[in-house]
Amino acid sequence: MQEAEIHDLSDDADYAAASKQGSSSITRSDSSKRSSSTDPEDAEIVYQKDNVAIHPSQSAIEGISGRLKLLKQGSSLFMTWIPYKGQSSYARLSARDTNLYTIRAVPFSDIHSIRRHTPTIGWQYVIVVLSSGLAFPPLYFYSGGLREFLATIKQHVLIVRSSENANVFVVNNFQDPLQRTLSSLELPRSLANRTPSSSFPVSSSEENFENNHTSEDDSSGSSQLNNKQRQKSHDPARDISIQVLEKFSLVTRFARETTSQLFRESLDVHGPNEKRRTNWASKDHHTQETAANDVETAPRKVPVPSDPLELDKLSLVWGQPRQHPLELQEWSTFLDPEGRIVDPDAFRKRIFYGGVEHNLRKEVWPFLLGYYSYDSTYAEREYVMSVKKSEYETIKNQWQSISLEQAKRFTKFRERKGLIEKDVVRTDRSLAFYESDDNPHVRLLHDILLTYSFYNFDLGYCQGMSDLLSPILFIMKDESEAFWCFVHLLERLGPNFNRDQSGMHSQLFALSKLVELLDSPLHNYFKQNDCLNYFFCFRWLLIQFKRQVYSLSLEFEYETTLRLWEVLWTHYPSEHIHLYVCIAILKRHRDKIMGEQMDFDTLLKFINELSGQIALDPVLRDAEALCVYAGENGAL
């Protein structure tokens, strides 16, 4: 890529329009206008905009509004976003929760890029990506001001527009050609420009990630696996898990290696460790490596900073013992004579500590997912089932009525249908409910997912959704009921599948702040080792720890996933409890992670290898203790 391919912001229409408006739309400072007490000392406000919001959930009406400011201190520019006190429209979010999203004086020297989104309908917003690869939640400009925001930044720091994507603005460092390429997040588009004959080696972590994402029974033989690897270089429809992996890990050592291979960049930009990895073709080097691998050596250990919270003691103080599952007789005590749940909070708390007996899940899960309201009666639920069944059939008929001739002119439909057909035959096939060819339940998975792609056409279908639907269908046994429970689950998790990754940005950003609060030595270690994007937790969050946990008290692995999910769905003691589960797992392995000096590549491989080895009950108890402690210290 040549330097001329990066365009200056001055040729951007939005910037030009803002420049003509001058200072009238930009809140600037004068000698008497100084920043607040929460801003850097002696900082000057050069931009200020009210009614800039974030959306913790998929709902457009559930936003947290605040004030966005750009501050100048000497030659440095800072960005802050502080939520208004007591003005959140997000009912489930307490005042303490807003600390998870507050942005306090971030210097632009730590910012990698800014991505602008200007939808035809809806609010304009930006996603600010840090040099670590972590990103802040999207900032929505309710009252305009995005143009002026970019124009003000342009006046104080070096910012240019990427030639790969006109809506990506890269900050500060443009000498590295690889960084210029990475300023665009549209990897599929870049992949499409590669010649079919080109190829690249697959890093061990990428291969491990993909193998772990494939369902357990996908064992078609080594020849087929090798063939898939050869085709990967020119297959634009590669698994979304790998595409997202590349997008999120923009500036980590692993990502620099993988993405440089994708774009056939010169390996001169890498350090000695990366160069050494590309020399596998050398016979002498291969011989040396083989000889070295013949002798197993224990990883070199280094002193590990102590856990500031002493998790084991904390869990004893704050975490309560697990209980037996909710059974039919006890379940009836939560209902009044007409079928309403009398005390929803006590109900959720009971399930958090014990889960639900298997035969009762079909009745209880719709409440946990929000399909049934807690105050609904038996009669009202029967009516809802009838109405929703008819609505489901109407939506399903939309794609069933598409003729072959119509399908030829409906690219999006063909693409989504093809992805679904490919994924459902690999989803949970080791489970008797889905095993064997021509399994009717596999067909139901297909029909529900394709119907959902018409119900929510903007989101459509993404890989990972079949893993979320499968347990729901297994429990509900009814196509319509499973569909609507799935719809309500994706109202919570849908943003994780957004193309712009705004949902994952918010999740990983909150996770980063919680780790910083609950284990600052571990957070600092991740920061020093290019792991601060927390992407190694991505798979946990995407499919809710599926296939990751086990329990000695449960006979089947699948049962453990069902137990964990119903616990997470209670949102007790916090709707962020899944983030505390992530932290509990990391803290249980912190000594190994830091003691063996794991870099991102090694850490990702290690996390993947934890599959099926995470004890459910101790982790839930730790997560509860961490959540309570965080709540006592201003974050929940």
Side-chain angles (χ1 to χ4, degrees):
M1 184 181 295
Q2 301 298 320
E3 188 70 28
E5 293 179 332
I6 295 292
H7 305 294
D8 190 270
L9 191 62
S10 59
D11 69 353
D12 182 87
D14 283 347
Y15 172 72
S19 297
K20 290 180 180 179
Q21 292 176 6
S23 60
S24 60
S25 299
I26 304 175
T27 305
R28 298 185 179 279
S29 65
D30 52 35
S31 57
S32 62
K33 188 172 183 180
R34 296 297 175 187
S35 56
S36 67
S37 59
T38 60
D39 299 329
E41 186 178 355
D42 297 327
E44 180 184 12
I45 301 174
V46 294
Y47 172 90
Q48 179 173 295
K49 187 66 182 177
D50 285 309
N51 293 320
V52 177
I54 66 168
H55 293 176
S57 77
Q58 196 174 17
S59 173
I61 64 173
E62 295 182 339
I64 303 175
S65 294
R67 177 173 296 159
L68 178 66
K69 290 191 288 188
L70 295 175
L71 308 167
K72 189 71 180 294
Q73 184 184 49
S75 60
S76 300
L77 187 68
F78 297 83
M79 181 184 79
T80 70
W81 179 83
I82 307 297
Y84 300 137
K85 292 184 178 179
Q87 295 188 24
S88 170
S89 60
Y90 192 33
R92 293 174 295 174
L93 199 71
S94 69
R96 292 183 299 181
D97 284 324
T98 58
N99 288 334
L100 288 178
Y101 303 103
T102 300
I103 303 173
R104 299 186 184 277
V106 176
F108 269 75
S109 58
D110 290 346
I111 294 177
H112 172 266
S113 60
I114 300 172
R115 180 162 182 166
R116 174 187 60 187
H117 294 261
T118 54
T120 305
I121 300 176
W123 299 296
Q124 297 182 344
Y125 65 97
V126 296
I127 295 176
V128 178
V129 182
L130 299 176
S131 299
S132 64
L134 191 68
F136 294 118
L139 295 167
Y140 291 83
F141 289 74
Y142 283 175
S143 306
L146 189 151
R147 291 178 176 179
E148 294 79 8
F149 175 69
L150 292 174
T152 304
I153 295 172
K154 167 69 176 178
Q155 294 172 7
H156 297 280
V157 300
L158 180 60
I159 177 173
V160 294
R161 184 157 57 95
S162 168
S163 64
E164 295 277 334
N165 187 329
N167 286 312
V168 174
F169 302 93
V170 191
V171 181
N172 291 318
N173 180 14
F174 312 104
Q175 302 307 311
D176 181 350
L178 179 59
Q179 273 202 333
R180 295 202 303 268
T181 302
L182 290 178
S183 64
S184 170
L185 301 184
E186 299 293 334
L187 285 183
R189 180 175 125 189
S190 301
L191 284 168
N193 294 331
R194 302 181 68 249
T195 59
S197 60
S198 62
S199 62
F200 61 92
V202 182
S203 77
S204 60
S205 289
E206 178 178 348
E207 183 178 16
N208 185 281
F209 184 93
E210 184 175 23
N211 290 342
N212 276 277
H213 192 71
T214 304
S215 55
E216 294 88 345
D217 68 321
D218 190 9
S219 54
S220 54
S222 59
S223 61
Q224 183 175 349
L225 177 60
N226 292 335
N227 183 53
K228 286 169 65 179
Q229 290 176 346
R230 286 194 298 270
Q231 294 176 351
K232 188 178 297 184
S233 61
H234 62 271
D235 181 7
R238 293 193 313 155
D239 289 348
I240 194 171
S241 58
I242 302 302
Q243 295 176 9
V244 173
L245 175 70
E246 293 153 351
K247 291 180 184 179
F248 263 84
S249 306
L250 296 181
V251 294
T252 64
R253 176 153 58 86
F254 168 70
R256 288 197 295 268
E257 177 188 9
T258 303
T259 315
S260 68
Q261 293 163 346
L262 282 169
F263 294 101
R264 295 181 293 170
E265 291 285 342
S266 169
L267 293 178
D268 291 342
V269 299
H270 296 302
N273 291 335
E274 286 80 359
K275 289 182 180 180
R276 186 167 61 248
R277 293 182 185 181
T278 66
N279 291 334
W280 297 113
S282 167
K283 181 177 181 180
D284 292 339
H285 182 81
H286 179 74
T287 302
Q288 294 171 5
E289 288 292 325
T290 302
N293 290 335
D294 286 340
V295 180
E296 293 188 5
T297 57
R300 183 174 63 89
K301 295 279 188 178
V302 299
V304 176
S306 61
D307 186 342
L309 296 185
E310 297 185 82
L311 184 59
D312 292 337
K313 295 180 181 178
L314 185 73
S315 296
L316 291 174
V317 174
W318 297 108
Q320 296 186 27
R322 309 301 299 166
Q323 301 175 16
H324 61 82
L326 177 71
E327 298 175 346
L328 179 60
Q329 184 175 359
E330 185 181 4
W331 161 239
S332 64
T333 65
F334 285 99
L335 303 173
D336 70 10
E338 293 185 317
R340 302 180 185 88
I341 294 181
V342 179
D343 190 342
D345 291 338
F347 167 71
R348 293 186 301 109
K349 182 177 180 180
R350 174 65 181 87
I351 294 177
F352 175 82
Y353 284 115
V356 182
E357 187 181 58
H358 183 73
N359 294 333
L360 199 58
R361 284 182 171 130
K362 179 177 172 61
E363 190 172 352
V364 170
W365 275 22
F367 288 100
L368 296 177
L369 289 168
Y371 176 41
Y372 296 156
S373 63
Y374 291 123
D375 60 354
S376 63
T377 65
Y378 294 122
E380 289 169 342
R381 293 196 286 275
E382 287 292 332
Y383 176 74
V384 167
M385 288 174 59
S386 175
V387 171
K388 289 298 185 179
K389 183 177 180 62
S390 176
E391 185 178 348
Y392 173 74
E393 293 298 333
T394 300
I395 303 170
K396 183 177 180 180
N397 187 60
Q398 292 177 6
W399 63 264
Q400 286 184 322
S401 62
I402 295 175
S403 68
L404 292 177
E405 286 300 314
Q406 287 177 305
K408 291 178 181 178
R409 298 184 294 273
F410 198 166
T411 303
K412 185 66 70 175
F413 170 70
R414 295 197 312 272
E415 289 176 348
R416 289 177 174 176
K417 188 172 185 290
L419 285 173
I420 291 170
E421 289 172 348
K422 169 184 161 185
D423 284 350
V424 295
V425 297
R426 303 188 304 173
T427 302
D428 291 336
R429 295 303 294 274
S430 62
L431 193 68
F433 189 75
Y434 293 111
E435 69 181 2
S436 77
D437 297 332
D438 299 323
N439 187 308
H441 300 129
V442 175
R443 183 65 197 181
L444 287 181
L445 276 179
H446 168 276
D447 290 357
I448 294 173
L449 290 170
L450 196 52
T451 303
Y452 181 81
S453 75
F454 275 72
Y455 171 81
N456 188 346
F457 202 80
D458 287 340
L459 185 58
Y461 175 78
C462 301
Q463 189 176 28
M465 288 184 178
S466 62
D467 270 315
L468 295 177
L469 172 61
S470 170
I472 294 176
L473 180 59
F474 173 69
I475 292 298
M476 303 306 296
K477 305 289 194 301
D478 178 88
E479 183 176 358
S480 173
E481 293 292 282
F483 172 81
W484 291 111
C485 285
F486 180 67
V487 165
H488 282 79
L489 177 62
L490 285 194
E491 286 182 359
R492 303 177 180 184
L493 304 182
N496 291 349
F497 296 95
N498 286 349
R499 178 178 174 81
D500 63 10
Q501 300 304 319
S502 57
M504 273 297 173
H505 284 322
S506 299
Q507 298 271 308
L508 297 175
F509 174 69
L511 179 61
S512 171
K513 296 194 74 170
L514 285 173
V515 174
E516 187 174 17
L517 170 68
L518 298 169
D519 196 336
S520 56
L522 183 60
H523 178 82
N524 292 335
Y525 175 83
F526 289 151
K527 183 176 182 179
Q528 294 163 7
N529 288 272
D530 285 336
C531 300
L532 200 56
N533 56 19
Y534 286 85
F535 181 76
F536 42 85
C537 297
F538 174 83
R539 187 169 181 270
W540 291 346
L541 298 176
L542 186 71
I543 57 175
Q544 298 288 279
F545 308 94
K546 189 177 181 182
R547 307 187 190 95
Q548 302 298 307
V549 293
Y550 77 91
S551 175
L552 296 176
S553 62
L554 300 174
E555 185 176 355
F556 302 108
E557 175 188 336
Y558 206 70
E559 172 74 13
T560 311
T561 296
L562 305 182
R563 177 64 49 79
L564 174 60
W565 281 16
E566 61 202 12
V567 166
L568 296 179
W569 294 344
T570 65
H571 285 180
Y572 180 90
S574 165
E575 68 170 299
H576 302 295
I577 188 63
H578 59 293
L579 298 182
Y580 292 98
V581 170
C582 289
I583 301 170
I585 298 171
L586 292 175
K587 286 177 78 67
R588 282 190 167 264
H589 298 280
R590 69 190 301 278
D591 288 351
K592 184 176 180 64
I593 292 171
M594 290 192 284
E596 296 183 8
Q597 293 288 288
M598 293 184 184
D599 58 13
F600 180 84
D601 208 0
T602 309
L603 180 57
L604 182 60
K605 182 175 183 294
F606 171 72
I607 293 297
N608 284 338
E609 290 173 348
L610 288 178
S611 179
Q613 301 181 40
I614 300 170
L616 176 61
D617 290 350
V619 163
L620 287 177
R621 186 165 182 173
D622 291 349
E624 180 195 5
L626 291 167
C627 183
V628 174
Y629 177 85
E632 294 291 324
N633 288 271
L636 194 59

